[in-house]
Amino acid sequence: MNSAIERLLDYVKSQKHRIHRRELTKEESKKYASEFQIKGMPLIERFTRRFELFMAAEKPVILPYTRIHGLRTIIEFPDIYCPGELEEIRKTHYIHEDGKVCHLAYDYKRVIHNGLASERNKAKSNLEGANEKEREFLLCVIRCIDAIEGFAKRYADELRRLGRSDEADRLFDELVYGAKTLIGAMQSFRILHFAIWVSGNYNAVIGRIDQDFYPYYLAEKAKGVSDEEIQNLVEDFLLSFNLDNDLYYSLAWGDNGQSVTLGGCTETGACAVNELTTICLEASLNIRLIDPKINLRVSSSTPLELYELGTKLTRTGLGFPQYMNDDIIIKGLERLGYETEDARNYVAGACWEPIIPAVGFDIPNIDGIPMALIVKETITNHLEQCKSMDELLQVFSKRLKIYINENAENHRNLYMEPSPISSLLMSNCIENRKDISEGTKYNNYGYHGTGFSNAVDQLAAVEAYVFGDGSISANELIAAMEDNYAKTPEMKYKLSVEAPKIGRDKKTKGIGDKILNEFAKALQGMKNERGGIYRPGTGSAMYHVWHIEGLGATADGRDADTPLAANFSPSLGIKGSGPFSVIDGFSLPSLWLTPNGGPLTLELHDTVFDSEDAITKIALLVQTFIEKGGHQLQLNAVNGEQLIDAQAHPEQYQDLIVRVWGWSGYFVELDKEYQDQIIQRTSYGI
Amino acid sequence: MAEGIIFSIEEFATKDGPGLRTSVFFKGCPLRCQWCHNPEGLSPRPQIIKNYNLCIGCKACEEVCQHPDNCIACGDCVRVCPRNLIRISGQRIDAASLAEKVKEHADILQKTGGGVTLTGGEVLMQGEFLLECLDMLLPLHRAIETSGYGDPSLFKKVMDNTDFIFLDIKMMDADKHKAYTGVSNEKILKNAEQLKYGDTDFVVRIPLICGVNNDIENLTKTAQFLQDAKNLLYVELLPYNLAAGSKYKLLDLKYEYSFQKPGDKELENARIIFESYGIKCKIA
Ligand code: SF4
Ligand code: SF4
């Protein structure tokens, strides 16, 4: 980190750049809205008009210390819908989240390389022979390109006004005619990424920057530029993702999809780790900011050094990198029908979902399947009639299938707002003259399987005590659950503390694997209305919180108020486990069948990271997990005492970052229920 | 087969030897070091541990108890606490079961050049159990951590049956040792002599407590004592843990002492003393 970057970092952290922001006045908002909130105007027209106006209203600001330009100056811009219009649409359609194109990993690489002019020419040449709808689409794409170009021109003018004409030329020319330099490529990336957020599309994934920028890196090296200089530039680039992130739409601060995926393999399967992989990791380590989140693709052949570097990043307490196991994920994606080259090119979506850059428009979070509830209902309604564990599991499978079939009906008639800007940045939309909202090569849906551990633990408890030693009868268990264990504290103790638990007791692994298998089987062969399939996963996102609603107590001794386990992690508050039992328990052979993902979260007390030797050991632990066939891992450096203290004195812990599910967030900003859960999760810390 | 008593099995113990390791904590210790931060390890009997912080005062634990004046660790209260705030520290186990438990993760331990470390409490206090464990834990790499306070003939057997030893040497002066730990250091130094001339790799750990053993004289004497030890890998200085008293309340005990942690400069000076005798020295 050179002194300019240090100053930039201070500048960004002190949020001085925010003085350039403003709210639109009511009159301005009204005036703008009157140009596109027009009933009867096609949505694609509205979208484009809004985008043009928003981009044009943005004032160019050249911040000090940085060489990568582009700053949001307008806080909010009116939406394209007339009042009540979206609600009308909702009556006849399923609207996923906000109905906007989101969670895409774009083909930045292509647009940066070709330049906007070439993309515009392509769009123009496709006008020939286009029908009316296609024509409208292509014209909108061209208008979006013009709007971006106009925006870049004003930035270039501003740079010229400041006497920085070389920079001005580079910014404009490389964006319009194709990038030649690494800095030019990064600058173009910044502007395109900026444009996505302006358009209202969100969770724009950053992707494989160590691969996408590598040709530019090599060109710089050939010119004699040192790695140190390049790292400074990468730091500058990474910092740019923190300028506007508080304005980005997200479920919680930090959940904005700005994820980078590093390492992994190339389309031919060769190791893709290169000098930029290390530079990016070190740059992230230096700037220590919440964005962008780093995902590290690893495999059984990843050397320990890369894990060590990752561990150093974990030590900063940012809650990343998240490790993704290529051996499991690629095989899993192939099974679901992804072509090998595409599968090998996967990146982490907003949280952990493997998605395919440029050619994938999967909705990996279409819904959550409440595994804990389905198991509980299986027990409540059928345990008394079942004579064996096998019988019970068969009933569970049937109920799971029924639940999924019914649930799939909820997502019929999907509504998706058009997006010529996202279409520009995905592959083949221009060639196919079709907006991305209508789908692309991969249009799959992903289901989270939530409450996984509570599902396993319930079945394991039944196996041990109802079918096993007979110490609890079916109706005793059902009655106790009904009563939330109020009159049976001893049974609660037995079930919650003594009963076998996944992530502690090896014998539960069979049930865990069975559940993954059944989940995959239940989705096998199902088609969604967009021509895609369904991807099973082990994540929970917010569902483990939502799915407590009406669940009541469960057969694993969990009472109605206790949260479910998040993602693919042990039930809360289990004692007597440790990192080895956890990584062993959660590296299940059938994980490759559930590649929608959802990580195991392992929290280690931050004092564990206190020496080089300890870093190596933590790296070994992660490597071992991957070699044992674990699919995804989030490792957090958390200090339990610190968290309890943070609850009591939140004002002193404004900077404390934890990773909650797919994202990092500021602890003090989370609701108490999440805070409590994180505190409980640190129990197997060292 | 002898039964032993342990109070914890800790996976991924990063401070207790090479590679990825599991540490097993033996319960019971004949020493009473005033800076002890692990009061669970003192008594060789099971004890209850209560998280008073989160107690809602429902008294269910008191109502169920048949032995209010003399806890027998029956566990009745543990099972009735609605908040799950009580647990029993101390599990009786035989060597075969312990080894089986640890070996559940033999693949992880062996692949990474790690193994198991037996610590405490004081492992030498359960000699027969200890020797059986060392035997049954093979082929894992086995380390022990000990105060060295034990019968020299037992110590010799342990030395010959283990791969690695962490030995605490608190101070060289016998009277002071008795005053601060409750026992003389005579046996400890005798066992240290065996290590010095034996074939087992070892590390000496010194808890460094201000006003107790951080004086130049004590450190110099320790260094002189160790300088000709052929299998001594290094000396590790462990500065006093300011949170030493934190666990006492959980056991319904009071922590009565208060010491100062040595500063960085002092630690550095201590390190230099050992290095000047040709002994590698690390600061924990
Ligand atoms: S374990 Fe609890 S119930 Fe049993 S004797 Fe001790 S205090 Fe009483
Ligand atoms: S049973 Fe638990 S909550 Fe109730 S008084 Fe005892 S320790 Fe406190």
Side-chain angles (χ1 to χ4, degrees), chain A residues 578 580-581 610 617 627-628, chain B residues 11 14-15 17 105 107 111:
Chain A
F580 300 156
S581 300
D610 65 354
K617 286 178 178 168
E627 287 178 6
K628 280 173 93 72
Chain B
E11 297 173 359
T14 55
K15 307 283 180 218
H105 303 299
D107 56 339
K111 187 192 86 78

Side-chain angles (χ1 to χ4, degrees), chain A residues 379-594:
Chain A
I379 292 170
T380 326
N381 298 324
H382 306 276
L383 181 58
E384 285 170 289
Q385 295 85 49
C386 287
K387 287 187 195 61
S388 68
M389 197 61 197
D390 278 350
E391 248 180 72
L392 188 73
L393 287 168
Q394 277 168 26
V395 181
F396 162 73
S397 309
K398 271 190 210 137
R399 289 193 74 107
L400 177 65
K401 181 73 191 151
I402 293 168
Y403 189 99
I404 287 171
N405 286 346
E406 283 173 5
N407 184 278
E409 291 304 313
N410 299 340
H411 315 120
R412 296 264 176 242
N413 214 7
L414 180 87
Y415 168 79
M416 187 67 70
E417 186 182 300
S419 174
I421 177 83
S422 283
S423 305
L424 162 71
L425 283 158
M426 295 296 281
S427 297
N428 302 323
C429 292
I430 296 177
E431 289 85 339
N432 296 336
R433 302 168 181 147
K434 200 168 94 179
D435 191 273
I436 187 65
S437 59
E438 293 173 43
T440 178
K441 187 171 179 184
Y442 300 109
N443 307 291
N444 302 324
Y445 289 171
Y447 267 128
H448 299 311
T450 83
F452 171 79
S453 292
N454 298 95
V456 178
D457 292 352
Q458 291 187 78
L459 289 168
V462 167
E463 184 175 45
Y465 304 130
V466 179
F467 294 118
D469 64 12
S471 59
I472 298 176
S473 73
N475 45 33
E476 278 168 354
L477 177 63
I478 294 161
M481 280 197 276
E482 186 80 358
D483 177 47
N484 198 19
Y485 297 105
K487 290 197 274 299
T488 45
E490 276 110 340
M491 194 196 297
K492 178 174 164 37
Y493 180 80
K494 182 171 178 145
L495 292 169
S496 63
V497 178
E498 294 176 345
K501 304 282 174 191
I502 183 120
R504 186 183 67 194
D505 304 287
K506 255 190 195 297
K507 57 184 167 218
T508 56
K509 286 179 77 175
I511 294 175
D513 209 50
K514 173 92 181 153
I515 290 183
L516 294 182
N517 247 294
E518 293 303 323
F519 191 19
K521 242 196 251 163
L523 294 175
Q524 181 91 35
M526 275 174 65
K527 278 259 176 340
N528 69 35
E529 62 179 19
R530 289 164 75 84
I533 48 93
Y534 286 84
R535 322 189 319 172
T538 49
S540 65
M542 294 284 285
Y543 289 94
H544 64 293
V545 177
W546 297 332
H547 283 165
I548 295 178
E549 193 76 29
L551 172 63
T554 40
D556 53 348
R558 181 197 138 276
D559 59 38
D561 301 328
T562 302
L564 292 167
N567 293 327
F568 196 57
S569 299
S571 295
L572 294 176
I574 63 166
K575 298 223 170 78
S577 181
F580 300 156
S581 300
V582 173
I583 64 169
D584 177 70
F586 284 84
S587 45
L588 297 170
S590 297
L591 272 173
W592 73 288
L593 301 175
T594 55

Side-chain angles (χ1 to χ4, degrees), chain A residues 296-324:
Chain A
L296 196 53
R297 280 178 49 178
V298 291
S299 70
S300 55
S301 58
T302 301
L304 191 64
E305 295 79 60
L306 197 62
Y307 291 105
E308 287 176 329
L309 199 50
T311 306
K312 286 183 187 158
L313 192 51
T314 301
R315 177 171 56 182
T316 62
L318 289 161
F320 52 71
Q322 170 170 255
Y323 297 93
M324 318 264 289

Side-chain angles (χ1 to χ4, degrees), chain B:
Chain B
M1 191 177 294
E3 243 191 9
I5 180 163
I6 60 171
F7 69 89
S8 179
I9 298 178
E10 213 166 87
E11 297 173 359
F12 195 53
T14 55
K15 307 283 180 218
D16 293 343
L20 300 190
R21 306 190 78 79
T22 295
S23 286
V24 180
F25 290 78
F26 283 39
K27 192 159 163 42
C29 181
L31 278 69
R32 287 296 176 270
C33 305
Q34 295 183 4
W35 48 85
C36 177
H37 62 186
N38 227 345
E40 272 180 86
L42 298 178
S43 161
R45 278 181 300 278
Q47 289 167 289
I48 57 159
I49 292 200
K50 212 183 251 190
N51 180 351
Y52 290 93
N53 277 343
L54 300 177
C55 170
I56 51 168
C58 71
K59 298 212 157 69
C61 52
E62 288 172 28
E63 278 156 24
V64 77
C65 180
Q66 306 285 323
H67 313 272
D69 299 324
N70 186 18
C71 171
I72 56 157
C74 67
D76 286 350
C77 57
V78 176
R79 287 184 283 271
V80 297
C81 173
R83 290 287 160 111
N84 227 334
L85 300 179
I86 315 174
R87 63 187 165 89
I88 291 189
S89 169
Q91 175 195 357
R92 296 196 194 281
I93 191 166
D94 62 40
S97 315
L98 179 64
E100 192 191 347
K101 174 103 188 87
V102 171
K103 284 180 184 174
E104 273 184 9
H105 303 299
D107 56 339
I108 300 176
L109 304 177
Q110 286 182 301
K111 187 192 86 78
T112 61
V116 56
T117 301
L118 306 177
T119 176
E122 175 47 59
V123 289
L124 298 174
M125 208 175 153
Q126 305 183 50
E128 195 186 341
F129 174 60
L130 172 62
L131 288 169
E132 282 177 3
C133 287
L134 289 172
D135 185 37
M136 309 214 66
L137 283 163
L138 280 170
L140 295 181
H141 176 275
R142 304 143 307 160
I144 65 158
E145 200 195 6
T146 172
S147 70
Y149 189 82
D151 183 67
S153 64
L154 168 66
F155 194 84
K156 176 82 177 69
K157 279 189 216 150
V158 171
M159 251 174 74
D160 293 343
N161 282 294
T162 191
D163 303 299
F164 197 96
I165 292 182
F166 290 98
L167 174 73
D168 266 24
I169 295 189
K170 279 125 189 157
M171 59 201 108
M172 299 301 287
D173 184 277
D175 295 336
K176 259 182 129 179
H177 198 279
K178 179 132 181 51
Y180 282 108
T181 72
V183 302
S184 151
N185 62 0
E186 192 191 330
K187 277 187 198 164
I188 296 171
L189 295 179
K190 223 179 237 164
N191 288 332
E193 289 281 347
Q194 298 199 70
L195 266 181
K196 268 167 66 177
Y197 305 114
D199 296 320
T200 315
D201 284 344
F202 72 109
V203 163
V204 166
R205 283 181 161 167
I206 305 178
L208 215 58
I209 323 289
C210 285
V212 177
N213 64 351
N214 64 334
D215 52 290
I216 296 174
E217 192 193 340
N218 178 51
L219 297 172
T220 308
K221 275 192 183 158
T222 314
Q224 284 166 345
F225 175 74
L226 292 172
Q227 64 181 328
D228 52 344
K230 65 178 164 78
N231 290 315
L232 173 65
L233 302 186
Y234 57 89
V235 163
E236 192 170 35
L237 304 174
L238 302 123
Y240 174 67
N241 177 2
L242 290 173
S246 63
K247 285 195 192 167
Y248 284 74
K249 188 180 159 202
L250 293 170
L251 287 155
D252 214 7
L253 298 172
K254 255 216 179 80
Y255 185 62
E256 290 163 5
Y257 309 99
S258 147
F259 295 100
Q260 293 299 308
K261 189 179 166 171
D264 288 350
K265 190 147 193 291
E266 249 180 294
L267 285 166
E268 186 50 25
N269 288 341
R271 198 182 62 80
I272 290 168
I273 293 177
F274 286 97
E275 304 257 311
S276 73
Y277 283 88
I279 299 166
K280 210 171 142 205
C281 180
K282 295 186 186 175
I283 296 166

